[in-house]
Amino acid sequence: MCEAASLDTLPAPSSYVTWQELRCVAHWFAGWGPAQRDVFLGQLVKRVVPGKVWSLLDDLGGLALADHLPSLFQCQLRLWARWFDSWTEEERNALVARLEEMDPAFVARFYREVASTAGVD
């Protein structure tokens, strides 16, 4: 179960289920190290800026065949991606607002990364 994460100051998501998903992602984020947060940042930017051209090498990195079970972090990212794709824009913004409370520098990097995609098609 995910521990309580302070989402009381954020707009209420459209459902209790989404609120629980947001809490889980905030809890996972709190436990991730710098390298994991870097991976998450890249995935977050790709989901927020759809339709942009990403390098072929970036895309091929996700196709690696593994002969072992995925890590807990990889499972968390997959679950987050599934949830994120189903959230409304307001719910996605609630996640970013919560991450900003937890790690302002991370969200500042996120905004710089998103801004750097402007004009890239």
Side-chain angles (χ1 to χ4, degrees):
M1 189 83 194
C2 296
E3 292 181 10
S6 175
L7 292 173
D8 299 334
T9 61
L10 301 175
S14 60
S15 76
Y16 178 75
V17 171
T18 301
W19 185 77
Q20 289 292 354
E21 292 168 354
L22 289 166
R23 288 179 59 201
C24 282
V25 175
H27 176 72
W28 296 338
F29 182 83
W32 291 339
Q36 292 168 316
R37 288 185 180 193
D38 286 345
V39 171
F40 177 64
L41 177 66
Q43 295 298 312
L44 183 59
V45 170
K46 286 181 181 182
R47 290 222 170 310
V48 168
V49 187
K52 295 293 183 176
V53 174
W54 303 105
S55 77
L56 181 58
L57 291 178
D58 286 343
D59 290 339
L60 289 177
L63 298 177
L65 298 175
D67 58 354
H68 59 281
L69 295 174
S71 70
L72 177 59
F73 174 68
Q74 291 167 325
C75 291
Q76 290 170 339
L77 279 184
R78 287 180 189 156
L79 192 52
W80 162 78
R82 186 177 311 144
W83 291 342
F84 189 84
D85 289 345
S86 72
W87 293 345
T88 65
E89 185 174 342
E90 183 178 342
E91 292 162 345
R92 293 173 179 186
N93 290 338
L95 174 65
V96 173
R98 177 63 184 126
L99 297 178
E100 188 168 27
E101 289 176 4
M102 299 171 70
D103 187 348
F106 175 86
V107 175
R109 283 182 51 212
F110 165 71
Y111 286 132
R112 284 192 303 273
E113 292 285 330
V114 169
S116 73
T117 67
V120 177
D121 288 329

